[in-house]
């Protein structure tokens, strides 16, 4: 038997329940993993409340990321064998597969070898954050030296990944936060500049930093009415990526300003990269190279034991973390 986390109705963290389930054999093209650590993501909180980008089929499991050891493989699996240390990359619907469990079965295409330099907890934290940021900044925007990249909600795991990836590509990162107490932490995490919106005007400060030109890229998980300020802070033909909806208010756009500056606004999620075999492999190679060189580093805010999965979700929803929340099994 394996303990698995499931929920039978949408709601707060309290709807998560442990269920003892028989360990099932992996089918063709599937890998069974004994889980050591699980990365916790905002997407899973939205999934639990049935406010994610696809409807939940109840009763449901949840979870996109994990690190552990291969326990068994199904027919036609040739890349992995029992005993291999592996990670799970978010690249599937949680209606089909999930990672919140002691023993999980996932598709072979979602499995990659465990980076030897990382602990299981560190490895469970890296793939959602780095591949999401990579897809927008490297794959699509192709940021490089001379570019300025604005990162709102910069203390989130994906925000910190975006800072590191922008720096790795030679661009200049501008972290945005509401709280002055996060300024030094963000500078220590690699941000070239930090804008504290409780203290200064976002647009004016970005224009000062960029000598009046504006930033070429904004990478935003917030949205809402303040999204218009990011548009104002962009350069001519700048790009604004929207990959979340932390602000549940309507997201407004300054249409005439967008037309004047020929701004692009793009919705973004990890599936664009992780859902394509060629793009997924390129992303994995990029992240592994960055981890090996030290340019990319996991940032873990706090770990919880598996028994405290409900508390981990409660902590996630306080929005106070700096980096990733990880659950150890």
């Amino acid at each position: 038997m394996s303990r698995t986390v499931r929920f039978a109705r949408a709601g707060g963290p309290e709807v998560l329940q442990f269920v003892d389930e028989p360990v099932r054999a992996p089918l063709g093209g599937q890998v069974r993993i004994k889980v050591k650590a699980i990365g916790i993501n905002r997407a899973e909180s939205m999934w639990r409340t049935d406010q994610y980008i696809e409807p939940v089929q109840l009763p449901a499991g949840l979870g996109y990321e994990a690190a552990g050891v291969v326990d068994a493989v199904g027919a036609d699996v040739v890349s992995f064998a029992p005993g291999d240390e592996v990670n799970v990359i978010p690249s599937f619907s949680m209606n089909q597969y999930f990672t919140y469990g002691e023993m999980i079965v996932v598709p072979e295409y979602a499995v990659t070898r465990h980076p030897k330099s990382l602990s299981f907890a560190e490895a469970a934290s890296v793939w959602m954050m780095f591949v999401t940021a990579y897809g927008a900044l490297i794959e699509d925007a192709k940021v490089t030296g001379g570019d300025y990249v604005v990162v709102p909600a910069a203390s989130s795991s994906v925000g910190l990944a975006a800072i590191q990836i922008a720096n790795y590509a030679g661009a200049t990162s501008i972290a945005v936060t509401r709280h002055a107490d996060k300024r030094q932490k963000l500078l220590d995490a690699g941000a070239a500049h930090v804008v504290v919106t409780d203290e200064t005007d976002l647009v004016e400060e970005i224009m000062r930093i960029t000598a009046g030109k504006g930033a070429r890229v904004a990478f935003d998980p917030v949205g809402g009415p303040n999204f218009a300020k990011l548009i104002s802070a962009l350069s001519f033909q700048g790009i604004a990526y929207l990959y979340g909806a932390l602000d549940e208010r309507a997201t407004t756009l300054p249409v005439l300003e967008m037309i004047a500056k020929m701004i692009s606004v793009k919705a973004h999620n990890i599936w664009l990269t992780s859902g394509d075999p060629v793009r997924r492999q390129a992303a994995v190679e990029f992240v592994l190279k960055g981890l090996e060189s030290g340019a990319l580093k996991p940032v873990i805010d706090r770990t919880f034991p598996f028994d405290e999965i409900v508390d981990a979700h409660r902590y996630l929803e306080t929005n106070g973390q700096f980096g990733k929340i990880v659950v150890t099994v």
Side-chain angles (χ1 to χ4, degrees):
M1 302 293 285
S2 169
R3 283 198 307 164
T4 299
V5 177
R6 290 191 178 272
F7 60 103
R9 60 183 177 86
E14 68 279 357
V15 303
L16 299 178
Q17 295 182 327
F18 287 101
V19 178
D20 289 324
E21 298 181 338
V23 175
R24 69 179 182 87
L27 303 176
Q30 295 180 340
V31 178
R32 190 170 72 204
I33 299 170
K34 183 177 178 60
V35 174
K36 299 294 186 181
I38 302 164
I40 307 297
N41 296 289
R42 179 70 54 179
E44 292 138 25
S45 171
M46 298 176 71
W47 180 255
R48 192 199 67 233
T49 58
D50 200 9
Q51 296 177 319
Y52 195 46
I53 56 177
E54 62 173 315
V56 177
Q57 297 173 12
L58 297 171
L62 71 171
Y64 270 138
E65 292 180 283
V69 179
V70 174
D71 181 70
V73 298
D76 304 325
V77 173
V78 296
S79 299
F80 303 99
D84 288 346
E85 296 182 347
V86 294
N87 303 164
V88 179
I89 299 176
S91 50
F92 45 78
S93 166
M94 287 185 283
N95 278 322
Q96 296 176 300
Y97 300 98
F98 50 85
T99 61
Y100 285 22
E102 294 174 330
M103 196 79 73
I104 61 173
V105 174
V106 294
E108 180 184 14
Y109 65 76
V111 180
T112 191
R113 295 196 177 278
H114 178 82
K116 294 185 181 299
S117 62
L118 302 185
S119 67
F120 283 121
E122 289 172 328
S125 77
V126 300
W127 295 105
M128 175 69 88
M129 58 190 267
F130 284 125
V131 176
T132 300
Y134 163 91
L137 303 185
I138 303 300
E139 192 175 71
D140 194 75
K142 297 178 174 59
V143 299
T144 188
D147 287 336
Y148 287 88
V149 178
V150 180
V151 184
S155 59
S156 69
S157 59
V158 178
L160 292 169
I163 291 169
Q164 293 185 29
I165 285 177
N167 295 345
Y168 189 25
T172 300
S173 54
I174 304 174
V176 179
T177 182
R178 291 178 299 166
H179 307 295
D181 61 354
K182 291 185 177 180
R183 177 190 281 111
Q184 191 58 50
K185 286 184 177 181
L186 288 166
L187 291 170
D188 293 343
H193 303 274
V194 178
V195 179
V196 180
T197 56
D198 281 352
E199 295 182 346
T200 189
D201 182 86
L202 174 67
V203 179
E204 289 181 2
E205 185 64 7
I206 291 175
M207 286 301 174
R208 184 193 67 79
I209 292 168
T210 62
K213 295 179 181 179
R216 189 169 81 85
V217 177
F219 185 58
D220 182 45
V222 182
N226 287 324
F227 187 73
K229 294 182 180 179
L230 289 177
I231 300 297
S232 297
L234 290 178
S235 64
F236 180 71
Q237 292 187 323
I239 310 170
Y241 293 93
L242 191 57
Y243 71 96
L246 291 175
D247 191 329
E248 297 180 355
R249 296 173 293 175
T251 298
T252 54
L253 299 175
V255 176
L256 291 179
E257 185 176 14
M258 290 172 61
I259 293 171
K261 294 201 296 186
M262 298 176 65
I263 299 296
S264 297
V265 175
K266 296 187 175 185
H268 178 72
N269 74 53
I270 192 174
W271 289 359
L272 181 68
T273 304
S274 66
D276 178 273
V278 175
R279 289 177 170 179
R280 182 172 61 245
Q281 184 58 37
V284 168
E285 292 174 0
F286 178 92
V287 173
L288 289 176
K289 184 178 179 181
L291 291 170
E292 290 168 3
S293 71
L296 305 182
K297 301 176 182 178
V299 181
I300 296 177
D301 175 90
R302 184 173 171 184
T303 60
F304 289 81
F306 191 43
D307 288 344
E308 297 177 11
I309 192 74
V310 172
D311 291 333
H313 268 242
R314 288 197 179 111
Y315 182 65
L316 174 70
E317 294 182 353
T318 66
N319 297 321
Q321 66 270 18
F322 190 91
K324 192 82 167 197
I325 301 167
V326 174
V327 166
T328 55
V329 183

